[in-house]
Structures are given as C-alpha cells and as structure tokens.
C-alpha cells in the first residue's frame, strides 16, 4: 500500500532547474544514473538522519502552535531547541551538498536557491536594521527547500514510505486530540475573554472567541490548514488500506478535524478543502475515460461540480447544526484563563508571530493590548458576541437571543477581505522601493516604519498594538506570495513564478498520460495544492516555519517524484 504512494523513479531523474528524462542509450532506452544503481553507506546514513530530523522538526513546530504544549516548551532552556534545530539543519544541508551532490535533486531547486540569494542580497543592503533575524529566516528557507523538498525527492521509497506513515500517524493523533479539546471549548463556551475560562492548562488558548473557534491552536489557520492536509492523507489511506478496522479508525479520527475546520471560520481552509474536493474528483473522473475529448472534459467537470455541491451541503449543514448547540454554562470561577495570567493572548500575539519575525517564545515578551477597532479576521468581540447570544432587551426586562448568530463573523464596514486589500495596496505602493532584491524577510517592517510611517499597515499597528510597533513590527503581508515579493523583490517573485510554472507543466504532463490516475500522484498533488492555496491569503510556506510549510514541501516533492516516474516510464515504453 505505502509503496504505491511513494514509488520512486529508478530509471529517471530531474535536473535542478528543469524537467528531463535520462539520455537514451544505444538501445534507445534510458540509461540509469549512478544514484539509481548504488549509494554509498554515508549517503544511506545521511538519508536516515535527515528523516529523523524532519520528524523532530515537524513535531517541534507543531508543539509551538499548541498552547497547552507551548507553555511547557517555550521556557528556558527548552525553547533554545529552536536554535539547535536550525544548526543541525545547516549541518545536514552541508552534508547533503557534499555527500549527495551527484544524486538527483528536486526540480527547480536552483530557482528556490535563487529566491534565498535575492533575500540575502536585500538583507545585506538593509543590514543597518539588523542581521540575525534575517539570517535565521533565510537559513530556515534553505533548510526547508534542501531537506524537506530536494532530499525527499531522491530518497529510497522504502525508507520514505515507512517514515511518512509514522509521521502521518503521529500528526493525525496530535490533531485529533487538539481538535477534540478545541471542540470541548466550543461546547462549554470557553474563551480567553469569557464567559467561561480555562480551568486546566490543557484547555488553555483562545478557545471560542470572536464567533469563531480558535481552540488550543495559536491561530485558526495553524490548526485548519494542516487539518485539511491530514484529511486528504486520511482519504488516501482509507481508499488503499485493507484493514477495515483501520479504515473505521481513520474515519473516526478525521471527523473532529473536519468539524474544527468548519467552526474555525478560516476561509483559507474552506477554500483549500473545496479546491481539493473539486480538483480531486475532476482528475479522477477525467482519467476514468479511455480517451480525452471535449465530451469527457465536460462530463468530468459537471460530475466534479455536482460532488462539490454535495460537499458544500455537508459543510454548511455542519455549520448550521453547530449553531444550534446549546451554551453549556458552568460554575467556573477560575480567577483568570491560562493566557490571562501570562498577560498575552495568542490571537493578539499573532500579529508578531505571523510576521515571521519572532517565535512564540519571543511573542510572550511583547504583551499586546486588545485593539479597540477594526481587528482583522472578525474582530475581538464582547463576551456576548463571542458566544453568539447578542442579547436584546424585551419589554418585560428579560433578554432574548438572536438565533443562528453563533458562528456569523462580523466584517468592519462590510470589508470581506478583512483589511487584506488595503494591506496589499500599501505593499504594492512600495514596488519602487522593493525593487529587484526586495526589503529582506525581517527588516521590511523597520524600513517601512522609518520611510513610510503614514501607510495604514504601519499606523494600524501603532494605534492598536503599540508594544508590537515599538518592537519594530507593521502589518504582515497576509499573503505568502506578497511576502516573497517584499522579501526577495521582483527577482525572487519571478523565480517563484517560474518554479510554479515548471511544477504545473510536470503535473499536467502526468495527468495527460493515458490510463487511470495514480494515487501516488493525485493525493500529494492535492495536499500541495492545499498548502499553495493557503499562501494566497496568509503568511505561509515561504520564510516561515510551521507544519503547513513542511508538509507542503514534502508532498510537492512526492508529487513530482510520481510525475517523473510516469514520464520516464512512458519514455521507456516508447
């Protein structure tokens, strides 16, 4: 089963920056490369160590975004493990460059290195604003594209498949527990601003706040987007596993993840899961036809739309059912929530965290006050708004509750983008100053404060988050692609665009091959698509370290492995 998911191309390879098959030999068939024939013991050991590193790195960054765990691991000297992980990653990158230099590399790797190089140039040009944070962000990007992307592309299928099964099982278990705790917070109406407060560290976090379920995660997207990725992985194993018991277990463990995605109010996650459903069914149905034609294309499109409508009914039906869950008041008189005792809410701290400029441990050093107006993503509401009750006075002095308001988010001045259009407009206005190399990953905020203090991205933080502004932050880009543009300039954004074109060409060539679609290609494609989609409206994937970013690079690599295998197999048969 797992072998189907992680098959490698034993007779083909991809260059670092373009797609190609092996050169033909005298017989007309591709000639195997050196790394397809044998590997040195040092390389095999390196692969094993990299797998362990990937596992530990993902677990650490998962723990950071979970408030119950974060309270334990972000205290001295434990949080210094973040620095040790980066150091170990750099050592492994150097070892990979030296020991595996003659082996296959991830497609477009040189383009990704070019993005890092452009960011490094801008960091040097703006070194007067700081050096260390830029160096850390760029090195993490190098580690991600080298170890999580390029090294995975060349690893042996047996080692990779077994390791990823363990990783998937671990992450699914963690998300299952975290989502169950978050759902309990929703039922009991436990939130950082009340009406009920966490009486246990395991229920710490923002809980149900601002008419959306943040739960025990640092930010809704941190729980919802990886949740979408894990749901796609669960579907794969449900379809391919033989054990009925395991299939039932996967279904039961996946339900809380889906419920959390619905209640989180994350439009990023909603868009990602809708996209995966539509694209997955469209490609699967299209490949069931023997021949590609306008009729098969139209039939596949209609069928995928029908499935999408059914899924929309399930999604909205779950939300409507959740609105009718009665409020479970308790006699909890706990003096304050776990977060209140720390004088900082993780939702507020998100303005620091999601800038990519600080870790959760750093955020704790900047106590942020609750904004008074215009908070993005729904605004922090009063306790009555948070619980969805919105009481109105009746003539007899009693109160009544507006029905079906529990999960309806409010948007300031009807701005459905929650300020993103204004943020993007401000950053686009800086195009001339961003230039070829950008303003660096971490010094852009300080540069904007000094040279463009009147932009809304600066004044908003100054008015509502003065401590964060004093620490050198402005509104982050709310888009991973804008983050690349600001960090690495027109050069970096152009290289990223070219990289995506190459990936799209490879995926299209694989999908266009005759025969049924391979699950080894389809499901990694859907997970990578969910990650790429999440970067449209939030700071994900690039110059950022989180489970979403790491899973994206791994699955993108696996998808391209399968695409190359399909291409080289077709070339071999021809």
């Amino acid at each position: 089963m797992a072998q189907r998911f992680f098959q490698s191309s034993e007779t083909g390879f991809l260059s670092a920056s373009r797609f190609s098959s092996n050169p033909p030999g005298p017989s007309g068939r591709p000639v195997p490369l050196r790394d397809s024939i044998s590997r040195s013991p040092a390389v095999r050991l390196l692969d094993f160590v990299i797998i362990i590193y990937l596992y530990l790195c993902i677990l650490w960054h998962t723990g950071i975004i979970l408030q119950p765990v974060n309270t334990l691991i972000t205290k001295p000297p434990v949080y210094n493990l973040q620095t040790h992980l980066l150091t170990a990653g750099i050592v492994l990158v150097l070892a990979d460059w030296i020991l595996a230099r003659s082996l296959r590399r991830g497609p477009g790797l040189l383009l990704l290195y070019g993005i890092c190089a452009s960011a490094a140039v801008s960091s040097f040009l703006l070194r007067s604003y700081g050096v260390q944070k830029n160096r850390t962000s760029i090195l993490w990007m190098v580690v991600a594209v080298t170890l999580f992307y390029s090294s995975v592309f060349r690893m042996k299928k047996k080692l990779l498949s077994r390791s990823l099964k363990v990783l998937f099982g671990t992450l699914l278990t963690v998300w299952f527990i975290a989502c169950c705790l978050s759902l309990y917070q929703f039922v009991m109406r436990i939130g950082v601003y009340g009406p009920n407060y966490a009486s246990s560290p395991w229920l710490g976090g923002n809980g149900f706040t601002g008419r959306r379920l943040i739960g025990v995660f640092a930010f809704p997207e941190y729980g919802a987007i990886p949740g979408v990725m894990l749901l796609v992985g669960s579907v794969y194993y449900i379809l391919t596993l033989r054990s009925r018991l395991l299939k039932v277990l996967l279904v039961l463990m996946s339900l809380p993840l889906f419920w959390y995605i619905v209640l989180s109010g994350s439009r990023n996650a909603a868009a990602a899961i809708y996209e995966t459903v539509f694209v997955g069914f469209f490609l699967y149905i299209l490949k069931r036809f023997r021949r590609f034609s306008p009729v098969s294309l139209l039939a596949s499109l209609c069928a995928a739309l029908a499935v999408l409508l059914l899924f929309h009914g399930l999604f909205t039906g779950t939300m409507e059912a959740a609105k009718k869950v009665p409020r479970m008041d308790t006699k909890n008189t706990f003096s304050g929530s776990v977060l209140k005792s720390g004088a900082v809410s993780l939702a507020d701290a998100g303005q620091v965290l999601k800038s990519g400029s600080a870790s959760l441990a750093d955020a704790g050093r900047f106590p942020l006050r609750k904004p008074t107006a215009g908070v993005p993503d729904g605004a922090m509401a009063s306790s009555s708004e948070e619980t969805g009750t919105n009481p109105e006075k009746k003539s007899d002095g009693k109160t009544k509750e507006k029905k079906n308001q529990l999960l309806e988010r409010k948007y300031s001045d009807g701005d459905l983008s929650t300020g993103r259009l204004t943020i993007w407009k401000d950053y686009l206005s800086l195009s001339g100053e961003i230039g070829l190399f950008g303003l660096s990953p971490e010094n852009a905020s300080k540069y904007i404060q000094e040279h463009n203090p009147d932009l809304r991205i600066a004044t908003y933080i100054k008015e509502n988050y003065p401590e964060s502004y004093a620490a050198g932050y402005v509104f982050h880009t709310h888009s991973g692609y804008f983050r690349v543009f600001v960090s690495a300039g027109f050069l970096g954004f152009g290289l990223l665009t070219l990289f995506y074109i190459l990936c799209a060409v490879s995926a299209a060539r694989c999908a266009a091959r005759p025969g049924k679609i391979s699950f080894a290609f389809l499901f990694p494609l859907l997970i990578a698509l969910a990650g790429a989609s999440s970067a449209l409206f939030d700071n994900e994937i690039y110059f950022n370290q989180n489970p979403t970013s790491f899973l994206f690079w791994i699955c993108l690599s696996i998808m391209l492995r399968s695409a190359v295998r399909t291409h080289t197999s077709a070339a071999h048969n021809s």
Side-chain angles (χ1 to χ4, degrees):
M1 177 273 301
Q3 290 178 354
R4 291 176 54 197
F5 194 30
F6 304 114
Q7 287 180 359
S8 62
S9 172
E10 296 300 328
T11 60
F13 82 107
L14 291 178
S15 67
S17 60
R18 66 186 186 92
F19 299 94
S20 61
S21 59
N22 290 348
S27 64
R29 295 185 175 183
V31 177
L33 296 180
R34 284 180 292 172
D35 65 301
S36 301
I37 301 174
S38 63
R39 296 183 181 216
S40 67
V43 171
R44 292 197 294 269
L45 177 61
L46 175 64
D47 289 347
F48 181 74
V49 174
I50 289 176
I51 285 292
I52 295 177
Y53 175 81
L54 301 186
Y55 186 83
L56 293 177
C57 200
I58 293 177
L59 284 186
W60 168 262
H61 287 90
T62 297
I64 282 180
I65 66 175
L66 297 173
Q67 175 59 23
V69 181
N70 176 259
T71 57
L72 302 176
I73 67 176
T74 57
K75 297 178 180 179
V78 181
Y79 70 77
N80 290 331
L81 181 60
Q82 177 88 352
T83 302
H84 300 325
L85 281 174
L86 178 57
T87 302
I90 296 171
V91 172
L92 291 176
V93 167
L94 294 175
D96 186 78
W97 286 347
I98 296 172
L99 298 177
R101 63 185 182 277
S102 61
L103 304 184
R104 292 171 293 178
R105 318 296 290 179
L109 180 62
L110 294 182
L111 300 177
L112 299 176
Y113 282 155
I115 297 173
C116 298
S118 181
V121 171
S122 63
S123 299
F124 175 78
L125 296 176
L126 297 178
R127 62 189 181 279
S128 60
Y129 295 99
V131 175
Q132 181 177 356
K133 290 182 178 180
N134 271 317
R135 181 173 64 242
T136 299
S137 291
I138 295 172
L139 289 177
W140 267 117
M141 182 73 173
V142 172
V143 168
V145 300
T146 303
L147 303 184
F148 288 84
Y149 172 68
S150 181
S151 296
V152 167
F153 184 83
R154 62 159 170 78
M155 285 185 181
K156 291 294 186 179
K157 61 182 180 181
K158 182 178 294 187
L159 172 65
L160 187 60
S161 62
R162 291 176 178 176
S163 303
L164 291 183
K165 281 194 293 184
V166 173
L167 176 62
F168 170 79
T170 302
L171 290 180
L172 182 62
T173 302
V174 171
W175 250 259
F176 170 76
I177 296 173
C179 289
C180 286
L181 291 173
S182 300
L183 292 171
Y184 179 80
Q185 291 175 324
F186 170 74
V187 173
M188 304 303 295
R189 304 296 194 270
I190 297 175
V192 70
Y193 298 113
N196 300 319
Y197 298 106
S199 58
S200 165
W202 295 106
L203 295 174
N206 289 281
F208 184 60
T209 302
R211 296 188 178 185
R212 63 189 305 192
L213 180 60
I214 302 175
V216 298
F217 295 97
F219 209 73
E221 279 75 13
Y222 290 167
I225 299 298
V228 173
M229 294 175 159
L230 292 173
L231 280 179
V232 175
S234 294
V235 173
Y236 167 77
Y237 285 112
I238 290 172
L239 293 175
T240 56
L241 284 176
R242 295 182 179 180
S243 172
R244 293 184 179 179
L245 179 61
L246 288 178
K247 290 184 178 183
V248 172
L249 181 62
L250 283 174
V251 171
L252 295 177
M253 294 184 69
S254 299
L255 287 176
L257 276 65
F258 175 74
W259 294 335
Y260 176 84
I261 292 169
V262 174
L263 301 182
S264 69
S266 171
R267 292 168 297 171
N268 261 358
I273 199 170
Y274 274 69
E275 288 173 6
T276 56
V277 169
F278 176 79
V279 174
F281 275 95
F282 174 75
L283 290 178
Y284 179 77
I285 297 171
L286 180 63
K287 297 292 286 183
R288 301 290 293 182
F289 289 92
R290 293 184 177 180
R291 293 182 180 179
F292 179 81
S293 67
V295 175
S296 64
L297 180 64
L298 181 61
S300 302
L301 181 62
C302 292
L305 287 174
V307 172
L308 187 63
L309 288 175
L310 291 175
F311 179 79
H312 177 69
L314 174 63
F315 194 94
T316 56
T318 302
M319 180 174 292
E320 291 301 319
K323 291 179 181 180
K324 298 179 181 179
V325 174
R327 172 177 165 179
M328 303 292 291
D329 285 321
T330 66
K331 296 181 180 180
N332 187 349
T333 57
F334 192 64
S335 59
S337 69
V338 175
L339 284 178
K340 283 191 173 182
S341 65
V344 61
S345 150
L346 283 182
D348 295 339
Q351 301 305 326
V352 177
L353 304 178
K354 302 191 78 176
S355 68
S357 303
S359 66
L360 276 169
D362 296 329
R365 304 192 188 108
F366 304 106
L368 307 177
R369 70 178 179 87
K370 178 180 174 182
T372 56
V375 180
D377 295 324
M380 292 298 178
S382 64
S383 61
S384 63
E385 289 176 328
E386 289 160 6
T387 57
T389 57
N390 198 7
E392 289 185 343
K393 289 289 184 180
K394 294 176 63 178
S395 58
D396 58 0
K398 297 181 180 179
T399 61
K400 65 177 180 179
E401 295 182 357
K402 285 186 177 181
K403 295 182 179 180
N404 298 328
Q405 300 293 315
L406 188 63
L407 295 169
E408 292 186 4
R409 295 172 59 186
K410 290 186 175 182
Y411 301 96
S412 177
D413 299 325
D415 182 11
L416 298 181
S417 72
T418 55
R420 283 176 172 81
L421 293 179
T422 300
I423 293 169
W424 297 340
K425 181 180 179 180
D426 280 355
Y427 277 108
L428 284 175
S429 69
L430 299 174
S431 297
E433 297 173 69
I434 290 173
L436 183 63
F437 300 111
L439 300 177
S440 81
E442 306 301 339
N443 286 339
S445 293
K446 294 180 179 179
Y447 177 90
I448 293 171
Q449 283 186 357
E450 180 176 340
H451 296 276
N452 301 276
D454 296 330
L455 290 178
R456 181 59 176 164
I457 54 178
T459 59
Y460 180 88
I461 299 299
K462 184 177 182 179
E463 294 169 0
N464 297 292
Y465 297 90
E467 295 88 353
S468 181
Y469 186 84
Y473 301 108
V474 300
F475 239 134
H476 65 82
T477 58
H478 272 80
S479 171
Y481 303 105
F482 266 93
R483 179 163 172 78
V484 172
F485 173 60
V486 174
S487 301
F490 284 95
L491 175 60
F493 187 78
L495 293 175
L496 181 63
T497 301
L498 181 57
F499 173 76
Y500 270 113
I501 292 174
L502 292 175
C503 292
V505 169
S506 180
R509 291 173 65 182
C510 181
R513 294 292 177 186
K516 297 180 181 180
I517 195 165
S518 169
F519 285 169
F521 165 78
L522 178 60
F523 283 92
L525 169 65
L526 296 178
I527 295 175
L529 178 63
S533 172
S534 71
L536 286 171
F537 305 107
D538 225 326
N539 271 19
E540 305 294 342
I541 310 298
Y542 311 104
F543 300 106
N544 227 336
Q545 308 88 49
N546 51 57
T548 298
S549 176
F550 296 144
L551 291 176
F552 166 79
W553 289 117
I554 290 174
C555 290
L556 182 64
S557 181
I558 295 172
M559 183 272 290
L560 292 173
R561 282 166 61 111
S562 180
V564 173
R565 179 182 182 274
T566 301
H567 172 64
T568 53
S569 296
H572 177 82
N573 294 331
S574 62

